[in-house]
Amino acid sequence: MASSKEYLHFILEQLSDLDDISFRPMMGEFILYYRGKIVGGIYDDRFLVKKTESALELIPEAVRTLPYEGAGEMLLVDEVDSKVFLTELFEAMYDELPSPKTRRRYNEIK
């Protein structure tokens, strides 16, 4: 089941206190980025974040779930109505997230 753009826009509004939030559509779902790093995404109209130590400390009761078959485990964020909480969550997670991978161009020779 694909995620709705309405839910995406709701989550983006909840994250609007943060600078440099972006998203990328992918196969009917949406990947969320914070300052260039993947933080999580919208999957089947569920807001999931990567499982980091900071995220586990802030939402220890979070349901661990898979965004899709074959993917790594992520945390379901239930407290989506609190902009303050979501801002704190993203800021706490940022330093633990891997840096973006540099992509080679197809015509690049090594």
Side-chain angles (χ1 to χ4, degrees), residues 2-51:
S3 294
S4 70
K5 288 185 179 178
E6 291 79 17
Y7 189 69
L8 169 68
H9 291 297
F10 168 72
I11 295 296
L12 292 175
E13 176 57 33
Q14 294 300 91
L15 298 170
S16 64
D17 289 344
L18 294 166
D19 291 329
D20 202 12
I21 291 288
S22 58
F23 71 93
R24 185 175 68 169
M26 182 172 285
M27 298 174 11
E29 310 299 351
F30 302 97
I31 309 299
L32 295 176
Y33 297 82
Y34 176 45
R35 298 188 328 200
K37 294 182 178 182
I38 297 174
V39 179
I42 310 292
Y43 302 91
D44 297 327
D45 283 337
R46 300 174 301 158
F47 183 31
L48 306 179
V49 295
K50 290 190 168 206
K51 189 171 65 172

mmCIF file of all heavy atoms in Angstrom, residues 2-51:
data_model
loop_
_atom_site.group_PDB
_atom_site.id
_atom_site.type_symbol
_atom_site.label_atom_id
_atom_site.label_comp_id
_atom_site.label_asym_id
_atom_site.label_seq_id
_atom_site.Cartn_x
_atom_site.Cartn_y
_atom_site.Cartn_z
ATOM 1 N N ALA A 2 0.648 2.152 -0.868
ATOM 2 C CA ALA A 2 1.435 3.381 -0.960
ATOM 3 C C ALA A 2 0.989 4.382 0.104
ATOM 4 O O ALA A 2 -0.144 4.362 0.576
ATOM 5 C CB ALA A 2 1.271 3.988 -2.342
ATOM 6 N N SER A 3 1.919 5.231 0.484
ATOM 7 C CA SER A 3 1.619 6.278 1.465
ATOM 8 C C SER A 3 0.982 7.474 0.779
ATOM 9 O O SER A 3 1.262 7.764 -0.385
ATOM 10 C CB SER A 3 2.900 6.709 2.166
ATOM 11 O OG SER A 3 3.406 5.649 2.939
ATOM 12 N N SER A 4 0.164 8.201 1.522
ATOM 13 C CA SER A 4 -0.528 9.346 0.943
ATOM 14 C C SER A 4 0.329 10.612 1.052
ATOM 15 O O SER A 4 1.100 10.777 2.000
ATOM 16 C CB SER A 4 -1.858 9.580 1.656
ATOM 17 O OG SER A 4 -1.638 10.050 2.971
ATOM 18 N N LYS A 5 0.161 11.472 0.074
ATOM 19 C CA LYS A 5 0.860 12.764 0.114
ATOM 20 C C LYS A 5 0.334 13.629 1.251
ATOM 21 O O LYS A 5 1.066 14.441 1.803
ATOM 22 C CB LYS A 5 0.720 13.486 -1.222
ATOM 23 C CG LYS A 5 1.539 12.837 -2.306
ATOM 24 C CD LYS A 5 1.501 13.616 -3.588
ATOM 25 C CE LYS A 5 2.360 12.906 -4.630
ATOM 26 N NZ LYS A 5 2.350 13.576 -5.913
ATOM 27 N N GLU A 6 -0.915 13.424 1.642
ATOM 28 C CA GLU A 6 -1.484 14.181 2.762
ATOM 29 C C GLU A 6 -0.738 13.862 4.059
ATOM 30 O O GLU A 6 -0.421 14.766 4.832
ATOM 31 C CB GLU A 6 -2.983 13.881 2.934
ATOM 32 C CG GLU A 6 -3.861 14.408 1.816
ATOM 33 C CD GLU A 6 -3.849 13.530 0.563
ATOM 34 O OE1 GLU A 6 -3.433 12.358 0.628
ATOM 35 O OE2 GLU A 6 -4.236 14.043 -0.504
ATOM 36 N N TYR A 7 -0.457 12.585 4.281
ATOM 37 C CA TYR A 7 0.279 12.204 5.500
ATOM 38 C C TYR A 7 1.714 12.736 5.436
ATOM 39 O O TYR A 7 2.249 13.225 6.428
ATOM 40 C CB TYR A 7 0.262 10.695 5.706
ATOM 41 C CG TYR A 7 0.811 10.294 7.057
ATOM 42 C CD1 TYR A 7 0.108 10.596 8.220
ATOM 43 C CD2 TYR A 7 2.026 9.643 7.185
ATOM 44 C CE1 TYR A 7 0.603 10.256 9.473
ATOM 45 C CE2 TYR A 7 2.528 9.290 8.435
ATOM 46 C CZ TYR A 7 1.816 9.612 9.562
ATOM 47 O OH TYR A 7 2.321 9.274 10.801
ATOM 48 N N LEU A 8 2.335 12.646 4.272
ATOM 49 C CA LEU A 8 3.678 13.214 4.092
ATOM 50 C C LEU A 8 3.679 14.690 4.444
ATOM 51 O O LEU A 8 4.538 15.160 5.206
ATOM 52 C CB LEU A 8 4.158 13.017 2.657
ATOM 53 C CG LEU A 8 5.427 13.799 2.290
ATOM 54 C CD1 LEU A 8 6.637 13.271 3.037
ATOM 55 C CD2 LEU A 8 5.650 13.778 0.790
ATOM 56 N N HIS A 9 2.720 15.447 3.912
ATOM 57 C CA HIS A 9 2.672 16.891 4.172
ATOM 58 C C HIS A 9 2.410 17.184 5.649
ATOM 59 O O HIS A 9 2.948 18.147 6.201
ATOM 60 C CB HIS A 9 1.651 17.576 3.266
ATOM 61 C CG HIS A 9 2.075 17.577 1.830
ATOM 62 N ND1 HIS A 9 3.204 18.228 1.384
ATOM 63 C CD2 HIS A 9 1.539 16.979 0.748
ATOM 64 C CE1 HIS A 9 3.352 18.034 0.083
ATOM 65 N NE2 HIS A 9 2.345 17.277 -0.328
ATOM 66 N N PHE A 10 1.614 16.353 6.297
ATOM 67 C CA PHE A 10 1.389 16.512 7.732
ATOM 68 C C PHE A 10 2.704 16.341 8.498
ATOM 69 O O PHE A 10 3.053 17.163 9.353
ATOM 70 C CB PHE A 10 0.354 15.497 8.234
ATOM 71 C CG PHE A 10 0.283 15.410 9.732
ATOM 72 C CD1 PHE A 10 -0.277 16.435 10.476
ATOM 73 C CD2 PHE A 10 0.820 14.318 10.402
ATOM 74 C CE1 PHE A 10 -0.324 16.371 11.871
ATOM 75 C CE2 PHE A 10 0.771 14.239 11.791
ATOM 76 C CZ PHE A 10 0.209 15.276 12.519
ATOM 77 N N ILE A 11 3.463 15.291 8.187
ATOM 78 C CA ILE A 11 4.743 15.051 8.867
ATOM 79 C C ILE A 11 5.726 16.176 8.552
ATOM 80 O O ILE A 11 6.430 16.666 9.449
ATOM 81 C CB ILE A 11 5.325 13.669 8.481
ATOM 82 C CG1 ILE A 11 4.412 12.546 8.984
ATOM 83 C CG2 ILE A 11 6.751 13.511 8.996
ATOM 84 C CD1 ILE A 11 4.283 12.459 10.505
ATOM 85 N N LEU A 12 5.787 16.609 7.304
ATOM 86 C CA LEU A 12 6.691 17.711 6.950
ATOM 87 C C LEU A 12 6.334 18.989 7.713
ATOM 88 O O LEU A 12 7.227 19.724 8.147
ATOM 89 C CB LEU A 12 6.666 17.965 5.441
ATOM 90 C CG LEU A 12 7.272 16.862 4.581
ATOM 91 C CD1 LEU A 12 7.069 17.184 3.109
ATOM 92 C CD2 LEU A 12 8.747 16.640 4.901
ATOM 93 N N GLU A 13 5.060 19.248 7.910
ATOM 94 C CA GLU A 13 4.641 20.412 8.701
ATOM 95 C C GLU A 13 5.085 20.246 10.152
ATOM 96 O O GLU A 13 5.532 21.199 10.781
ATOM 97 C CB GLU A 13 3.125 20.596 8.622
ATOM 98 C CG GLU A 13 2.586 21.713 9.497
ATOM 99 C CD GLU A 13 3.191 23.081 9.219
ATOM 100 O OE1 GLU A 13 3.532 23.372 8.055
ATOM 101 O OE2 GLU A 13 3.348 23.869 10.182
ATOM 102 N N GLN A 14 4.983 19.034 10.676
ATOM 103 C CA GLN A 14 5.414 18.785 12.056
ATOM 104 C C GLN A 14 6.927 18.969 12.209
ATOM 105 O O GLN A 14 7.410 19.263 13.296
ATOM 106 C CB GLN A 14 5.018 17.373 12.500
ATOM 107 C CG GLN A 14 3.528 17.159 12.592
ATOM 108 C CD GLN A 14 2.876 18.100 13.592
ATOM 109 O OE1 GLN A 14 2.436 19.185 13.242
ATOM 110 N NE2 GLN A 14 2.857 17.701 14.849
ATOM 111 N N LEU A 15 7.669 18.801 11.124
ATOM 112 C CA LEU A 15 9.131 18.949 11.146
ATOM 113 C C LEU A 15 9.588 20.328 10.682
ATOM 114 O O LEU A 15 10.786 20.566 10.532
ATOM 115 C CB LEU A 15 9.770 17.870 10.258
ATOM 116 C CG LEU A 15 9.532 16.420 10.679
ATOM 117 C CD1 LEU A 15 10.001 15.469 9.586
ATOM 118 C CD2 LEU A 15 10.231 16.128 12.003
ATOM 119 N N SER A 16 8.653 21.235 10.479
ATOM 120 C CA SER A 16 8.977 22.532 9.864
ATOM 121 C C SER A 16 9.849 23.440 10.729
ATOM 122 O O SER A 16 10.391 24.422 10.223
ATOM 123 C CB SER A 16 7.691 23.261 9.462
ATOM 124 O OG SER A 16 6.928 23.569 10.613
ATOM 125 N N ASP A 17 10.032 23.129 12.010
ATOM 126 C CA ASP A 17 10.931 23.925 12.845
ATOM 127 C C ASP A 17 12.397 23.583 12.588
ATOM 128 O O ASP A 17 13.294 24.297 13.048
ATOM 129 C CB ASP A 17 10.616 23.719 14.333
ATOM 130 C CG ASP A 17 9.296 24.359 14.734
ATOM 131 O OD1 ASP A 17 8.778 25.210 13.975
ATOM 132 O OD2 ASP A 17 8.775 24.001 15.810
ATOM 133 N N LEU A 18 12.645 22.498 11.860
ATOM 134 C CA LEU A 18 14.005 22.085 11.522
ATOM 135 C C LEU A 18 14.414 22.641 10.167
ATOM 136 O O LEU A 18 13.590 22.717 9.252
ATOM 137 C CB LEU A 18 14.097 20.559 11.474
ATOM 138 C CG LEU A 18 13.899 19.818 12.786
ATOM 139 C CD1 LEU A 18 13.678 18.337 12.526
ATOM 140 C CD2 LEU A 18 15.086 20.031 13.701
ATOM 141 N N ASP A 19 15.666 23.012 10.041
ATOM 142 C CA ASP A 19 16.200 23.447 8.747
ATOM 143 C C ASP A 19 16.632 22.226 7.948
ATOM 144 O O ASP A 19 17.055 21.217 8.513
ATOM 145 C CB ASP A 19 17.417 24.356 8.942
ATOM 146 C CG ASP A 19 17.034 25.693 9.548
ATOM 147 O OD1 ASP A 19 15.913 26.166 9.291
ATOM 148 O OD2 ASP A 19 17.869 26.263 10.285
ATOM 149 N N ASP A 20 16.525 22.334 6.654
ATOM 150 C CA ASP A 20 17.047 21.328 5.729
ATOM 151 C C ASP A 20 16.398 19.958 5.865
ATOM 152 O O ASP A 20 17.075 18.934 5.914
ATOM 153 C CB ASP A 20 18.566 21.222 5.862
ATOM 154 C CG ASP A 20 19.210 20.633 4.618
ATOM 155 O OD1 ASP A 20 18.529 20.512 3.575
ATOM 156 O OD2 ASP A 20 20.389 20.260 4.687
ATOM 157 N N ILE A 21 15.083 19.929 5.923
ATOM 158 C CA ILE A 21 14.319 18.673 5.837
ATOM 159 C C ILE A 21 13.952 18.483 4.370
ATOM 160 O O ILE A 21 13.497 19.410 3.708
ATOM 161 C CB ILE A 21 13.027 18.737 6.684
ATOM 162 C CG1 ILE A 21 13.349 18.767 8.165
ATOM 163 C CG2 ILE A 21 12.105 17.564 6.357
ATOM 164 C CD1 ILE A 21 13.856 17.462 8.732
ATOM 165 N N SER A 22 14.162 17.295 3.863
ATOM 166 C CA SER A 22 13.774 17.016 2.483
ATOM 167 C C SER A 22 13.244 15.580 2.414
ATOM 168 O O SER A 22 13.344 14.819 3.369
ATOM 169 C CB SER A 22 14.957 17.215 1.534
ATOM 170 O OG SER A 22 16.034 16.388 1.897
ATOM 171 N N PHE A 23 12.696 15.248 1.265
ATOM 172 C CA PHE A 23 12.170 13.899 1.069
ATOM 173 C C PHE A 23 12.391 13.490 -0.368
ATOM 174 O O PHE A 23 12.630 14.327 -1.245
ATOM 175 C CB PHE A 23 10.677 13.818 1.426
ATOM 176 C CG PHE A 23 9.779 14.512 0.450
ATOM 177 C CD1 PHE A 23 9.212 13.819 -0.611
ATOM 178 C CD2 PHE A 23 9.507 15.854 0.579
ATOM 179 C CE1 PHE A 23 8.386 14.461 -1.526
ATOM 180 C CE2 PHE A 23 8.687 16.503 -0.316
ATOM 181 C CZ PHE A 23 8.119 15.805 -1.370
ATOM 182 N N ARG A 24 12.308 12.190 -0.584
ATOM 183 C CA ARG A 24 12.405 11.649 -1.929
ATOM 184 C C ARG A 24 11.387 10.534 -2.057
ATOM 185 O O ARG A 24 11.347 9.625 -1.221
ATOM 186 C CB ARG A 24 13.821 11.111 -2.172
ATOM 187 C CG ARG A 24 14.026 10.630 -3.609
ATOM 188 C CD ARG A 24 15.440 10.235 -3.839
ATOM 189 N NE ARG A 24 15.698 9.028 -3.059
ATOM 190 C CZ ARG A 24 16.780 8.285 -3.179
ATOM 191 N NH1 ARG A 24 17.731 8.621 -3.995
ATOM 192 N NH2 ARG A 24 16.918 7.185 -2.453
ATOM 193 N N PRO A 25 10.530 10.606 -3.066
ATOM 194 C CA PRO A 25 9.580 9.510 -3.266
ATOM 195 C C PRO A 25 10.320 8.264 -3.753
ATOM 196 O O PRO A 25 11.281 8.362 -4.524
ATOM 197 C CB PRO A 25 8.629 10.039 -4.333
ATOM 198 C CG PRO A 25 9.339 11.155 -4.999
ATOM 199 C CD PRO A 25 10.367 11.666 -4.051
ATOM 200 N N MET A 26 9.888 7.103 -3.252
ATOM 201 C CA MET A 26 10.507 5.860 -3.676
ATOM 202 C C MET A 26 9.467 4.745 -3.628
ATOM 203 O O MET A 26 9.024 4.357 -2.543
ATOM 204 C CB MET A 26 11.693 5.505 -2.789
ATOM 205 C CG MET A 26 12.392 4.235 -3.226
ATOM 206 S SD MET A 26 13.918 3.933 -2.334
ATOM 207 C CE MET A 26 14.984 5.119 -3.105
ATOM 208 N N MET A 27 9.057 4.295 -4.792
ATOM 209 C CA MET A 27 8.138 3.166 -4.932
ATOM 210 C C MET A 27 6.878 3.332 -4.081
ATOM 211 O O MET A 27 6.461 2.431 -3.360
ATOM 212 C CB MET A 27 8.868 1.857 -4.599
ATOM 213 C CG MET A 27 10.002 1.606 -5.555
ATOM 214 S SD MET A 27 11.115 0.207 -5.275
ATOM 215 C CE MET A 27 10.408 -0.785 -4.056
ATOM 216 N N GLY A 28 6.277 4.514 -4.120
ATOM 217 C CA GLY A 28 5.027 4.759 -3.424
ATOM 218 C C GLY A 28 5.191 5.176 -1.974
ATOM 219 O O GLY A 28 4.206 5.441 -1.293
ATOM 220 N N GLU A 29 6.421 5.219 -1.500
ATOM 221 C CA GLU A 29 6.706 5.634 -0.123
ATOM 222 C C GLU A 29 7.589 6.880 -0.179
ATOM 223 O O GLU A 29 7.909 7.383 -1.251
ATOM 224 C CB GLU A 29 7.394 4.499 0.644
ATOM 225 C CG GLU A 29 6.706 3.149 0.538
ATOM 226 C CD GLU A 29 5.290 3.105 1.089
ATOM 227 O OE1 GLU A 29 4.834 4.070 1.738
ATOM 228 O OE2 GLU A 29 4.597 2.095 0.864
ATOM 229 N N PHE A 30 8.010 7.394 0.977
ATOM 230 C CA PHE A 30 8.801 8.617 1.016
ATOM 231 C C PHE A 30 9.959 8.468 1.998
ATOM 232 O O PHE A 30 9.745 8.130 3.163
ATOM 233 C CB PHE A 30 7.935 9.808 1.437
ATOM 234 C CG PHE A 30 6.767 10.036 0.529
ATOM 235 C CD1 PHE A 30 5.514 9.545 0.860
ATOM 236 C CD2 PHE A 30 6.920 10.704 -0.672
ATOM 237 C CE1 PHE A 30 4.427 9.735 0.020
ATOM 238 C CE2 PHE A 30 5.844 10.896 -1.526
ATOM 239 C CZ PHE A 30 4.592 10.414 -1.179
ATOM 240 N N ILE A 31 11.174 8.714 1.520
ATOM 241 C CA ILE A 31 12.368 8.698 2.357
ATOM 242 C C ILE A 31 12.564 10.124 2.884
ATOM 243 O O ILE A 31 12.505 11.081 2.117
ATOM 244 C CB ILE A 31 13.614 8.280 1.547
ATOM 245 C CG1 ILE A 31 13.377 6.997 0.770
ATOM 246 C CG2 ILE A 31 14.842 8.190 2.458
ATOM 247 C CD1 ILE A 31 13.065 5.797 1.600
ATOM 248 N N LEU A 32 12.800 10.266 4.197
ATOM 249 C CA LEU A 32 12.993 11.581 4.817
ATOM 250 C C LEU A 32 14.462 11.803 5.142
ATOM 251 O O LEU A 32 15.131 10.914 5.680
ATOM 252 C CB LEU A 32 12.168 11.702 6.093
ATOM 253 C CG LEU A 32 10.656 11.671 5.907
ATOM 254 C CD1 LEU A 32 9.958 11.690 7.265
ATOM 255 C CD2 LEU A 32 10.197 12.849 5.080
ATOM 256 N N TYR A 33 14.936 13.012 4.821
ATOM 257 C CA TYR A 33 16.320 13.406 5.057
ATOM 258 C C TYR A 33 16.358 14.601 5.994
ATOM 259 O O TYR A 33 15.502 15.492 5.913
ATOM 260 C CB TYR A 33 16.996 13.826 3.750
ATOM 261 C CG TYR A 33 17.105 12.727 2.727
ATOM 262 C CD1 TYR A 33 16.044 12.400 1.895
ATOM 263 C CD2 TYR A 33 18.291 12.021 2.585
ATOM 264 C CE1 TYR A 33 16.147 11.393 0.956
ATOM 265 C CE2 TYR A 33 18.412 11.011 1.638
ATOM 266 C CZ TYR A 33 17.345 10.711 0.832
ATOM 267 O OH TYR A 33 17.452 9.709 -0.111
ATOM 268 N N TYR A 34 17.353 14.619 6.858
ATOM 269 C CA TYR A 34 17.621 15.777 7.706
ATOM 270 C C TYR A 34 19.078 16.156 7.485
ATOM 271 O O TYR A 34 19.975 15.358 7.733
ATOM 272 C CB TYR A 34 17.351 15.447 9.172
ATOM 273 C CG TYR A 34 17.684 16.555 10.134
ATOM 274 C CD1 TYR A 34 17.319 17.871 9.877
ATOM 275 C CD2 TYR A 34 18.359 16.298 11.313
ATOM 276 C CE1 TYR A 34 17.619 18.891 10.770
ATOM 277 C CE2 TYR A 34 18.653 17.303 12.215
ATOM 278 C CZ TYR A 34 18.285 18.597 11.928
ATOM 279 O OH TYR A 34 18.583 19.616 12.800
ATOM 280 N N ARG A 35 19.305 17.334 6.961
ATOM 281 C CA ARG A 35 20.639 17.849 6.640
ATOM 282 C C ARG A 35 21.438 16.828 5.824
ATOM 283 O O ARG A 35 22.603 16.586 6.061
ATOM 284 C CB ARG A 35 21.380 18.268 7.894
ATOM 285 C CG ARG A 35 20.659 19.385 8.614
ATOM 286 C CD ARG A 35 21.378 20.014 9.759
ATOM 287 N NE ARG A 35 22.242 19.128 10.489
ATOM 288 C CZ ARG A 35 22.654 19.354 11.726
ATOM 289 N NH1 ARG A 35 22.272 20.436 12.371
ATOM 290 N NH2 ARG A 35 23.452 18.513 12.330
ATOM 291 N N GLY A 36 20.749 16.236 4.854
ATOM 292 C CA GLY A 36 21.394 15.330 3.909
ATOM 293 C C GLY A 36 21.490 13.886 4.339
ATOM 294 O O GLY A 36 21.914 13.033 3.560
ATOM 295 N N LYS A 37 21.130 13.558 5.579
ATOM 296 C CA LYS A 37 21.211 12.186 6.065
ATOM 297 C C LYS A 37 19.818 11.572 6.135
ATOM 298 O O LYS A 37 18.863 12.235 6.532
ATOM 299 C CB LYS A 37 21.827 12.136 7.461
ATOM 300 C CG LYS A 37 23.287 12.564 7.511
ATOM 301 C CD LYS A 37 23.820 12.444 8.926
ATOM 302 C CE LYS A 37 25.273 12.811 9.036
ATOM 303 N NZ LYS A 37 25.767 12.633 10.428
ATOM 304 N N ILE A 38 19.723 10.285 5.787
ATOM 305 C CA ILE A 38 18.437 9.588 5.878
ATOM 306 C C ILE A 38 18.117 9.349 7.352
ATOM 307 O O ILE A 38 18.898 8.733 8.077
ATOM 308 C CB ILE A 38 18.473 8.247 5.131
ATOM 309 C CG1 ILE A 38 18.713 8.473 3.633
ATOM 310 C CG2 ILE A 38 17.177 7.469 5.355
ATOM 311 C CD1 ILE A 38 18.910 7.195 2.841
ATOM 312 N N VAL A 39 16.954 9.854 7.769
ATOM 313 C CA VAL A 39 16.507 9.691 9.153
ATOM 314 C C VAL A 39 15.457 8.596 9.249
ATOM 315 O O VAL A 39 15.387 7.865 10.231
ATOM 316 C CB VAL A 39 15.936 11.023 9.695
ATOM 317 C CG1 VAL A 39 15.455 10.866 11.118
ATOM 318 C CG2 VAL A 39 16.971 12.114 9.614
ATOM 319 N N GLY A 40 14.649 8.483 8.229
ATOM 320 C CA GLY A 40 13.566 7.507 8.235
ATOM 321 C C GLY A 40 12.695 7.697 7.018
ATOM 322 O O GLY A 40 13.179 8.095 5.963
ATOM 323 N N GLY A 41 11.393 7.469 7.200
ATOM 324 C CA GLY A 41 10.505 7.624 6.068
ATOM 325 C C GLY A 41 9.060 7.378 6.434
ATOM 326 O O GLY A 41 8.715 7.062 7.573
ATOM 327 N N ILE A 42 8.237 7.553 5.435
ATOM 328 C CA ILE A 42 6.805 7.284 5.529
ATOM 329 C C ILE A 42 6.558 6.005 4.737
ATOM 330 O O ILE A 42 6.821 5.953 3.537
ATOM 331 C CB ILE A 42 5.966 8.438 4.915
ATOM 332 C CG1 ILE A 42 6.390 9.797 5.436
ATOM 333 C CG2 ILE A 42 4.478 8.170 5.104
ATOM 334 C CD1 ILE A 42 6.105 10.043 6.877
ATOM 335 N N TYR A 43 6.100 4.977 5.435
ATOM 336 C CA TYR A 43 5.837 3.673 4.830
ATOM 337 C C TYR A 43 4.426 3.239 5.222
ATOM 338 O O TYR A 43 4.140 3.104 6.410
ATOM 339 C CB TYR A 43 6.850 2.627 5.332
ATOM 340 C CG TYR A 43 8.284 2.998 5.050
ATOM 341 C CD1 TYR A 43 9.022 3.717 5.989
ATOM 342 C CD2 TYR A 43 8.884 2.656 3.855
ATOM 343 C CE1 TYR A 43 10.341 4.069 5.737
ATOM 344 C CE2 TYR A 43 10.202 3.008 3.593
ATOM 345 C CZ TYR A 43 10.923 3.714 4.540
ATOM 346 O OH TYR A 43 12.226 4.062 4.287
ATOM 347 N N ASP A 44 3.577 3.033 4.230
ATOM 348 C CA ASP A 44 2.181 2.643 4.487
ATOM 349 C C ASP A 44 1.526 3.611 5.476
ATOM 350 O O ASP A 44 0.843 3.184 6.415
ATOM 351 C CB ASP A 44 2.096 1.211 5.025
ATOM 352 C CG ASP A 44 2.600 0.189 4.013
ATOM 353 O OD1 ASP A 44 2.425 0.421 2.806
ATOM 354 O OD2 ASP A 44 3.171 -0.833 4.440
ATOM 355 N N ASP A 45 1.761 4.889 5.282
ATOM 356 C CA ASP A 45 1.240 5.944 6.163
ATOM 357 C C ASP A 45 1.634 5.734 7.623
ATOM 358 O O ASP A 45 0.894 6.047 8.545
ATOM 359 C CB ASP A 45 -0.279 6.094 6.023
ATOM 360 C CG ASP A 45 -0.650 6.845 4.757
ATOM 361 O OD1 ASP A 45 0.197 7.601 4.227
ATOM 362 O OD2 ASP A 45 -1.781 6.701 4.290
ATOM 363 N N ARG A 46 2.831 5.207 7.823
ATOM 364 C CA ARG A 46 3.422 5.087 9.159
ATOM 365 C C ARG A 46 4.734 5.851 9.134
ATOM 366 O O ARG A 46 5.497 5.751 8.171
ATOM 367 C CB ARG A 46 3.727 3.620 9.514
ATOM 368 C CG ARG A 46 2.521 2.713 9.530
ATOM 369 C CD ARG A 46 2.934 1.259 9.736
ATOM 370 N NE ARG A 46 3.836 0.850 8.642
ATOM 371 C CZ ARG A 46 4.695 -0.159 8.718
ATOM 372 N NH1 ARG A 46 4.782 -0.882 9.807
ATOM 373 N NH2 ARG A 46 5.470 -0.469 7.696
ATOM 374 N N PHE A 47 5.021 6.609 10.189
ATOM 375 C CA PHE A 47 6.254 7.375 10.292
ATOM 376 C C PHE A 47 7.280 6.523 11.035
ATOM 377 O O PHE A 47 7.124 6.243 12.213
ATOM 378 C CB PHE A 47 5.981 8.686 11.029
ATOM 379 C CG PHE A 47 7.170 9.593 11.141
ATOM 380 C CD1 PHE A 47 8.153 9.623 10.181
ATOM 381 C CD2 PHE A 47 7.280 10.443 12.227
ATOM 382 C CE1 PHE A 47 9.243 10.469 10.293
ATOM 383 C CE2 PHE A 47 8.360 11.304 12.347
ATOM 384 C CZ PHE A 47 9.345 11.312 11.387
ATOM 385 N N LEU A 48 8.315 6.078 10.311
ATOM 386 C CA LEU A 48 9.350 5.226 10.876
ATOM 387 C C LEU A 48 10.690 5.945 10.849
ATOM 388 O O LEU A 48 10.983 6.669 9.899
ATOM 389 C CB LEU A 48 9.472 3.921 10.075
ATOM 390 C CG LEU A 48 8.208 3.104 9.870
ATOM 391 C CD1 LEU A 48 8.514 1.857 9.039
ATOM 392 C CD2 LEU A 48 7.585 2.711 11.196
ATOM 393 N N VAL A 49 11.491 5.736 11.897
ATOM 394 C CA VAL A 49 12.841 6.299 11.937
ATOM 395 C C VAL A 49 13.843 5.177 12.131
ATOM 396 O O VAL A 49 13.511 4.093 12.614
ATOM 397 C CB VAL A 49 13.011 7.366 13.051
ATOM 398 C CG1 VAL A 49 12.141 8.575 12.771
ATOM 399 C CG2 VAL A 49 12.753 6.795 14.425
ATOM 400 N N LYS A 50 15.091 5.477 11.768
ATOM 401 C CA LYS A 50 16.160 4.508 11.961
ATOM 402 C C LYS A 50 16.339 4.220 13.442
ATOM 403 O O LYS A 50 16.122 5.078 14.285
ATOM 404 C CB LYS A 50 17.460 5.032 11.366
ATOM 405 C CG LYS A 50 17.441 5.065 9.859
ATOM 406 C CD LYS A 50 18.817 5.349 9.327
ATOM 407 C CE LYS A 50 18.841 5.091 7.838
ATOM 408 N NZ LYS A 50 20.160 4.743 7.364
ATOM 409 N N LYS A 51 16.767 3.011 13.725
ATOM 410 C CA LYS A 51 16.956 2.590 15.108
ATOM 411 C C LYS A 51 18.354 3.016 15.557
ATOM 412 O O LYS A 51 19.347 2.353 15.267
ATOM 413 C CB LYS A 51 16.777 1.074 15.207
ATOM 414 C CG LYS A 51 16.731 0.541 16.611
ATOM 415 C CD LYS A 51 16.328 -0.914 16.661
ATOM 416 C CE LYS A 51 17.369 -1.782 16.007
ATOM 417 N NZ LYS A 51 17.130 -3.214 16.191
#
